[in-house]
């Protein structure tokens, strides 16, 4: 079971809305959803949690690229919404070239490598997603949650509640839980 919420910063504090992720397939989709919830292009923080297994925080500031943190990348990568975040962080979401000319050089080998050379993309695909935290631990520094603090929040506890408490918006988050 997932929990997801968007917290939009306003002049008067934070506004929260619980959100459905049914139509969210990529980090870009989530960022667009966050931008729609923004007030005057201010900061929006998206919380995603899967029942004590992992939590993710995505920060969107206007049109800037989203910043992402996942508490347990290995656990998150085994779930649909978590994989959306970890794939972005590890670069696994990059599409393979569709044009055959892009796959092979004139000598008939991939990327012009000598025959028998290991393909770096295959080696990278074999690497497991790292266990533990992954992403930008400093994404909430200027909002009162240091990277050190973020790393201490426990996925098995109420990490999102603790983050909301540090941001000063516990009551707002609890209203949508």
């Amino acid at each position: 079971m997932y929990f997801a919420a968007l917290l939009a910063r306003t002049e008067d504090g934070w506004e929260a809305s619980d959100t459905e992720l049914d139509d969210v397939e990529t980090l870009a989709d989530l960022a667009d959803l966050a931008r729609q919830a923004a007030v005057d292009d201010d900061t929006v923080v998206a919380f995603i949690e899967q029942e004590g297994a992992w939590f993710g925080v995505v920060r969107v500031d206007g049109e800037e690229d989203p910043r992402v943190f996942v508490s347990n990348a290995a656990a998150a990568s085994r779930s649909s919404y978590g994989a959306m975040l970890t794939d972005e962080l590890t670069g696994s979401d990059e599409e393979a070239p569709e044009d055959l000319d892009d796959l092979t050089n004139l000598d008939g080998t991939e990327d012009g490598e000598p025959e028998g050379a290991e393909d770096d993309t295959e080696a990278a695909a074999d690497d497991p997603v790292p266990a533990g935290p992954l992403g930008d631990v400093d994404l909430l520094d200027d909002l009162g949650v240091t990277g050190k603090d973020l790393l201490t929040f426990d996925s098995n506890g109420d990490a999102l509640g603790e983050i909301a408490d540090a941001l000063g918006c516990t009551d707002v988050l609890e209203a949508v839980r």
Side-chain angles (χ1 to χ4, degrees):
M1 176 102 150
Y2 289 98
F3 167 76
L6 294 174
L7 298 169
R9 191 165 67 172
T10 70
E11 289 180 7
D12 301 324
W14 293 90
E15 290 179 7
S17 59
D18 101 29
T19 187
E20 290 295 325
L21 298 178
D22 293 342
D23 295 330
V24 174
E25 294 180 9
T26 65
L27 181 59
D29 293 342
L30 182 59
D32 289 343
L33 190 64
R35 287 182 184 105
Q36 290 171 8
V39 176
D40 297 327
D41 284 338
D42 210 341
T43 300
V44 176
V45 177
F47 287 159
I48 304 173
E49 178 180 55
Q50 184 183 15
E51 293 183 342
W54 62 273
F55 70 89
V57 179
V58 178
R59 178 178 178 161
V60 177
D61 293 300
E63 292 300 317
E64 292 181 27
D65 287 340
R67 297 168 64 188
V68 180
F69 172 80
V70 177
S71 67
N72 184 332
S77 69
R78 293 187 294 269
S79 68
S80 58
Y81 299 120
M84 169 184 67
L85 302 177
T86 58
D87 285 353
E88 179 74 25
L89 291 169
T90 61
S92 302
D93 65 338
E94 295 175 9
E95 294 180 25
E98 293 180 23
D99 187 356
L100 291 178
D101 291 334
D102 291 340
L103 295 174
T104 342
N105 275 345
L106 294 176
D107 64 358
T109 61
E110 289 187 29
D111 300 322
E113 297 173 1
E115 288 186 36
E118 185 176 346
D119 183 5
D120 290 339
T121 57
E122 286 180 10
D126 291 341
D127 290 343
V129 174
L134 181 65
D136 185 351
V137 297
D138 298 324
L139 79 163
L140 300 175
D141 267 0
D142 64 322
L143 299 175
V145 181
T146 67
K148 183 178 177 182
D149 292 338
L150 194 58
L151 291 171
T152 63
F153 296 133
D154 184 9
S155 296
N156 294 321
D158 185 20
L160 298 183
E162 293 178 48
I163 295 169
D165 187 42
L167 294 176
C169 59
T170 304
D171 54 338
V172 175
L173 181 64
E174 291 302 319
V176 295
R177 273 194 161 171

